[in-house]
Amino acid sequence: MMTVLSHKNFQVPEYLNASVPAEYRGLTRDGVNLMVIDSNSGNTHHNSFHEIGSYLEPGDVLVLNNSRTIPSVLKGRQDGMEVEVRLSRSISDHEWDVLVVQQDADLSKPIYFEDGIEGSVVGSGSEFPLVTMSFSVGGSELFDFFYRYGKPIRYEYIENPWPLQAFQTVYGSVPGSVEMPSAGRAFSWKILNQLREEGIELAFIQLHAGLSYYGNDLWPNPDGHPEAYEIPEETARLVNEAKERGGKVIAVGTTVVRTLETAADENGNIEAGKGITNLYIKKGTNLKAVDGLLTGFHEPEASHLDMLTAFLPEDILMAAYQEALEHGYLWHEFGDMNLILPLGGKA
C-alpha cells in the first residue's frame, strides 16, 4: 500500500540530496529536471528545465531576485578556540545578525578574525539563536574582509568546497544574500534570452536572503526572520501592466513571492520601494500579486514548504512530492526545479 505523504512526515533519501552543481555533473545549469504542477487541476508534468518556456505565455512576467551571494562563513578565534560565525542579515554599516556555531563560545568576549578585525556581540538577533555582532570595521572595508576570508555556506549534504561562483545565479548583481536565492540557479542567459524572444517579460527585485537553517534542528520562523527588499519602478510597472492585461506573474523563488506580496495592495498592484519584510506566507494566505512559482524541492521542516500550500492544496502538493521522490528528483540548491502555476490551455 502506497504511503501518503503529509506536510511534515516525509523524508528525503540521502541519494536525492544534490551535492554537486549540475555543471560539475556533466550537465549545463539549465540541464536539470523540471516538474510542473498545474495548480488548477493538480496534474503534473515531467520535463527538462530547457522546456520551461512551453509552460509560459507571451505577456507573462517572470520576476527574478538579483541579490548576489556573499561568502558568509567566517572563521575567528577566541581563547585559542576556533569559532565559526555565519552571517545572516546586515543591520547597519558594521553590524550583522549572525549565528555563532560553537555553543560553548563566550558571547561576552570578542571574537578575533584575520587582519586584526574583531567582532563583539552587542545584543540579541532577530530571533534565537541569532545574535547581533558589531565588527571593528564597516562598509566596503568589512565587505573586503568577507570576500578575502569568508567561504560560502554549505550544509552537510555538500561534501566539496565548491567555489563561490557555484552559489550564484547568472544574473545576481547586488551582493548581500548569505545563501543563494537558488530558484534561479538553473537559468542560463540563453534561456532567459529565448524567453524574452517568446514575449515573456523579465523583471527583477532584490531580497537579501538570510540563513535558512540554524543547526540542531532549528529553522527560521518567518515571523521572526526579517529580510531587506527593494522593488524598482520598472518591475512594479511590468507587474502591474501584466495584471491589467491578464498575464501571469511568476515568481522565481520564495524570496520573490515574499517581496511582491509584501508590496501588493488589495488589488494585487505593486508599489516600488524599499523595506523590510516579516511576511509569513502559508496555507490560506490570499496571494494578491503572484500567480505562479518556480522553486526547488523543500524539506518537510522548511517554511518554504508552508508557502507552497498557499498556491495549491496540501494533498495535491504532497501527491506531487510523492511523484518527485519516485522520479528521483534532486533536492536542495543544486537540485531539480518545480514550477507551480495555473496552466489553463497550456496543459
Side-chain angles (χ1 to χ4, degrees):
M1 184 177 187
M2 180 180 292
T3 301
V4 178
L5 298 186
S6 70
H7 188 158
K8 300 293 183 185
N9 80 348
F10 70 93
Q11 288 190 324
V12 181
E14 194 169 333
Y15 67 91
L16 293 184
N17 291 328
S19 61
V20 180
E23 59 271 34
Y24 291 87
R25 290 187 267 130
L27 302 172
T28 55
R29 278 178 174 246
D30 50 20
V32 298
N33 296 314
L34 176 70
M35 183 174 80
V36 181
I37 310 173
D38 181 350
S39 55
N40 281 336
S41 67
N43 293 333
T44 53
H45 307 259
H46 303 279
N47 215 322
S48 163
F49 189 76
H50 291 117
E51 301 302 319
I52 187 171
S54 64
Y55 298 99
L56 307 177
E57 297 177 289
D60 289 347
V61 178
L62 207 55
V63 186
L64 307 105
N65 181 3
N66 69 3
S67 177
R68 191 167 179 80
T69 315
I70 62 173
S72 51
V73 176
L74 309 172
K75 296 291 179 66
R77 300 198 73 81
Q78 185 187 71
D79 295 333
M81 176 177 70
E82 184 178 86
V83 178
E84 180 174 316
V85 172
R86 297 181 179 182
L87 304 172
S88 184
R89 180 173 75 101
S90 174
I91 304 296
S92 70
D93 181 63
H94 63 285
E95 292 180 331
W96 281 70
D97 271 2
V98 305
L99 174 72
V100 179
V101 174
Q102 279 70 31
Q103 294 182 341
D104 54 349
D106 186 345
L107 299 184
S108 68
K109 295 180 178 178
I111 296 172
Y112 298 95
F113 300 99
E114 297 286 349
D115 288 348
I117 292 172
E118 297 180 19
S120 299
V121 174
V122 295
S124 300
S126 56
E127 67 175 341
F128 179 82
L130 298 179
V131 294
T132 300
M133 178 165 284
S134 176
F135 290 92
S136 56
V137 297
S140 59
E141 191 175 354
L142 184 56
F143 265 76
D144 283 346
F145 162 67
F146 295 159
Y147 274 93
R148 186 171 301 170
Y149 296 108
K151 304 290 182 186
I153 288 176
R154 57 187 175 96
Y155 292 111
E156 64 277 2
Y157 52 84
I158 300 178
E159 297 173 0
N160 296 317
W162 304 111
L164 181 61
Q165 187 59 29
F167 295 85
Q168 307 287 5
T169 59
V170 297
Y171 51 80
S173 57
V174 184
S177 285
V178 303
E179 294 185 15
M180 173 174 53
S182 55
R185 191 185 189 284
F187 280 110
S188 60
W189 284 115
K190 179 180 178 182
I191 284 195
L192 290 171
N193 286 329
Q194 283 176 350
L195 292 174
R196 270 196 170 127
E197 289 170 1
E198 292 167 4
I200 312 299
E201 302 270 14
L202 303 182
F204 294 89
I205 59 93
Q206 179 188 118
L207 181 144
H208 294 318
L211 286 176
S212 65
Y213 181 55
Y214 298 149
N216 300 314
D217 289 327
L218 282 175
W219 303 75
N221 180 345
D223 288 333
H225 194 63
E227 293 174 309
Y229 72 87
E230 181 172 354
I231 302 174
E233 294 280 353
E234 182 184 10
T235 296
R237 178 181 62 77
L238 289 171
V239 168
N240 294 338
E241 288 178 356
K243 303 296 287 185
E244 194 172 320
R245 65 175 174 262
K248 291 190 291 294
V249 175
I250 297 137
V252 178
T254 57
T255 57
V256 176
V257 180
R258 205 179 194 203
T259 298
L260 294 182
E261 292 299 323
T262 296
D265 67 15
E266 288 303 313
N267 297 316
N269 290 313
I270 299 299
E271 185 172 343
K274 298 180 180 180
I276 303 289
T277 178
N278 269 328
L279 185 62
Y280 184 10
I281 298 174
K282 54 186 182 299
K283 180 180 179 180
T285 299
N286 178 29
L287 296 170
K288 295 172 289 190
V290 179
D291 302 292
L293 168 64
L294 177 70
T295 186
F297 290 93
H298 302 289
E299 296 160 300
E301 302 89 347
S303 64
H304 303 81
L305 199 58
D306 295 341
M307 181 183 288
L308 269 56
T309 61
F311 284 86
L312 74 176
E314 185 176 333
D315 59 338
I316 292 176
L317 175 65
M318 288 298 100
Y321 262 50
Q322 177 74 57
E323 280 191 44
L325 292 169
E326 292 169 357
H327 279 74
Y329 281 83
L330 297 180
W331 255 247
H332 306 300
E333 63 266 52
F334 297 147
D336 295 313
M337 303 307 303
N338 179 202
L339 179 63
I340 301 171
L341 79 171
L343 284 174
K346 296 288 285 187

